[in-house]
Structure formats: structure tokens, C-alpha cells
Amino acid sequence: MSQSVTRNNFDEWMMPVYAPAAFIPVRGEGSRLWDQMGNEYIDFAGGIAVNALGHAHPALNRVLLEQAGKFWHTGNGYTNEPVLRLAKRLIDATFADRVFFCNSGAEANEAALKLARKYAHDRFGSGKSGIIAFSNAFHGRTLFTVTAGGQPAYSQDFAPLPPDIRHATFNNLDSVRELIDDQTCAVIVEPIQGEGGVVPAEPDFLRGLRELCDRHHALLIFDEVQSGVGRTGELYAYMHYGVTPDLLTTAKALGGGFPIGALLAREDCASVMTVGTHGTTYGGNPLASAVAGEVLTMINREEVLNGVKQRHQWFTERLQAIAQQTGLFSEIRGLGLLIGCVLSPQWAGKAKELSKLAAEEGLMVLIAGGNVVRFAPALIISEEEITTGLDRFSRACERFVSGGSS
């Protein structure tokens, strides 16, 4: 007999690093979820841009069960067919020549930063170790990646932090020029700052970073953990901008909900990583690789990517109308199905309160800091689910501006 559990058990048993919602989802289908009490929710959160094909997609279920019936794990002393097929799909679809698989976005960024340091040391000597990142970025929770993230609230309690990482201002090329020099080994940037407020990079900014990195023999790393795998309406956001990085990290949507991450690299960069220089026990396991291969095949199609752009229009037109009606939002921004609603100054800092009201109305949303409500739904969410979800969001917004009353 399975043990009965409630939300209160989280507070009793779990390490308190999260503050989850008051309800526990137990079943999902497409872009809908149901909790323990049978209440239905439209999912605009997408597992933080992870559930790119929604919940319990039959094609992913089929692939997972097929592979589970063969074998689950061998470790990195052996390779497997699903991981090799997935690597080839990523190489064929992107700039990359080589791929390293891991289990999360943080691990992919950790690998990218390690590779950049080793590349610089091997090619130019040990003094070339500087990393430029950006304030208000997010690259993961390992000590290396949380330091690169440039949000002191996430890193200051864990000092001493890894040295030689400096932070410029996002979308400000002059701030990068002031920091970069011939001792810089890498610049790491999100094409769209996700956790930092859903802030898209300006095309000239990314082009300028590419030129500065080339000039100073530094590697340009795109963190596409959140923006990748169709989220912007292109397979990866660098394609939207027309700027090609040296290294690219991907995770989240790549597994459609199954944990997987990857580092994509050019051949000359990848060649510095030899046997024993890096590794992972679970990375590239057959289960994750089989699922991710199916996800990539399903998403990297013109009709799906064009559908993301169409859905962006449906969302933003309605959100602009809600903003105009309520005065609640000063800006609707983002690309594809990564959308941020920026609270007007009089409601600054209250995004979490609005998200709770949305949940009461039967809608799951995200926040990105205290001032931005964030949407990252399934890339194939239906028009009916969008309409129903935005109706619920509109009711939550009306309650919010009137003081939260029912």
C-alpha cells in the first residue's frame, strides 16, 4: 500500500530550498495537469521551459518504454546506440562537430567553462583564464556556474567563490570592452536572460561579443539551456540572431521532461578534452538519449517551429490587451514561447502574489525575479488551451489589481 502524502509533508521531510505551490500535481496530459483533489490547471510554466511537448506525450512514452525494456545504464566505459544517434542529430542540426552529454544545464555550463579554461591554457598558456559573464544572468547552481551567474543572492553565502570571473552589463557592449583583454578565455551569455527577467539580447550586442571574442582569442559560449530546442521559434536562438558561438549548452526541453544536458562544440575546441579530462556517470545514458532523440526529431520540423511563432502572436496580442485593460504590465517581452510580463512600478516586487492568484484560477505560471511573470508553455500547446489559460490569467490579474478579493 502506497503512503498517503500531503503538501505539509514537504515542510516536514524536504530540505527547505524550495517553496512549492500549495497543491501537488498528480497527473498530466498535454498542457493540462490535475492535483490530488482533482482540480484542473492549464500549464503555462512547462516545468520551467522543460516540457516542450507537454505532459505524457504518447510518442515519448513509447520511446521510453521501448528503451526501458532493453537496458537503462552501463556507465561511461561503454557507449550506446541512442546516444550516438542523438549526437548525430544535434551535429546535423547545428554548428557543432562534437557533443558531450550530461544530466542538467548546470553540468553543461560547468563543462563549457572548464573546456574554455583548458582550451586557453593549452593554446595560450596558464595566464589566460579570465571569464566574462553578465550581471543578472543564471547559469546553474554549481559553485562555478552560480559565480558566473552574477546574482549575489545566489552566490554570496558560499564564498570563497571561484576567482577570475567578472561581470559586465547585459546588452551593453561598452561594459564588455572595459573588461575583455588578451587574458580573457571566454565570454558566457544567454541569448535571452531567462531567470533574469526574460530579456532578449539585442542583435548588435551578440554580434559585438562575437567580434570581441575573435579579437582577443576568447571562446564565445551561448547558454541556451532555456532558450534552446525550439523555444524561440528556431531550433536554437543563435539561429534567430545569426551569430554562431564556439560552444553552446542545452538542456531543459532537450529531454522533454527527462533529465539530460549537452555541450555542443566545434572540433578545434572539443579536441582539448581528452580521455579523463571530464566525465559523468549518468550522462548520455540510453533512457535519456532515446527520449531526447525523439524530442529533437519531433520539434526540429518547420511546422512546429513556425507554430511557436504563431503561438507567440496569440499570447502577446492577448497579454497586451490585458495590460491595457488593467495597467498591470509596463512591457510584454520575449521571443517565441519564452514570454515575460513586466509589472508596472506600482506593483513592483509582487510577481509571486500574482502567480498564486493565477494558481487559484487554475493556471500555472512562472516568475522571473520579483517583477516579471514568465510563461514557458509547451511548444505545441493548443489554441484552446492558450485561450482558456489566458482567460484564467485575466481573472487573476483583475483580482490582483482590485486587492486580491474573490
Side-chain angles (χ1 to χ4, degrees), residues 25 110 259 318 335 353 404:
E110 183 89 9
R318 182 70 185 280
L335 291 172
E353 295 177 28

Side-chain angles (χ1 to χ4, degrees), residues 54-193:
H55 299 278
H57 195 289
L60 301 190
N61 289 345
R62 174 183 54 78
V63 169
L64 179 60
L65 288 172
E66 284 180 1
Q67 185 58 47
K70 296 176 181 176
F71 73 106
W72 290 22
H73 177 75
T74 56
N76 53 34
Y78 308 86
T79 191
N80 61 79
E81 292 180 345
V83 78
L84 296 176
R85 295 190 184 104
L86 175 58
K88 187 62 164 64
R89 286 191 180 104
L90 284 166
I91 289 167
D92 288 346
T94 69
F95 70 94
D97 303 304
R98 300 276 184 162
V99 188
F100 169 80
F101 289 104
C102 50
N103 310 286
S104 68
E107 290 176 65
N109 284 326
E110 183 89 9
L113 294 170
K114 286 179 68 176
L115 187 156
R117 284 256 173 97
K118 190 170 191 305
Y119 180 89
H121 293 174
D122 287 2
R123 299 286 197 272
F124 303 101
S126 60
K128 189 175 176 67
S129 59
I131 293 168
I132 294 175
F134 293 90
S135 300
N136 217 34
F138 187 86
H139 300 297
R141 297 283 194 165
T142 69
L143 201 58
F144 203 173
T145 58
V146 81
T147 304
Q151 297 192 51
Y154 292 157
S155 61
Q156 61 192 4
D157 292 339
F158 306 104
L161 302 173
D164 216 4
I165 299 174
R166 295 188 289 176
H167 294 90
T169 302
F170 190 70
N171 273 333
N172 185 329
L173 202 57
D174 286 339
S175 72
V176 182
R177 291 191 183 99
E178 292 176 1
L179 296 179
I180 197 167
D181 57 31
D182 287 342
Q183 300 309 308
T184 302
C185 73
V187 174
I188 183 169
V189 65
E190 300 163 274
I192 305 173
Q193 284 195 334

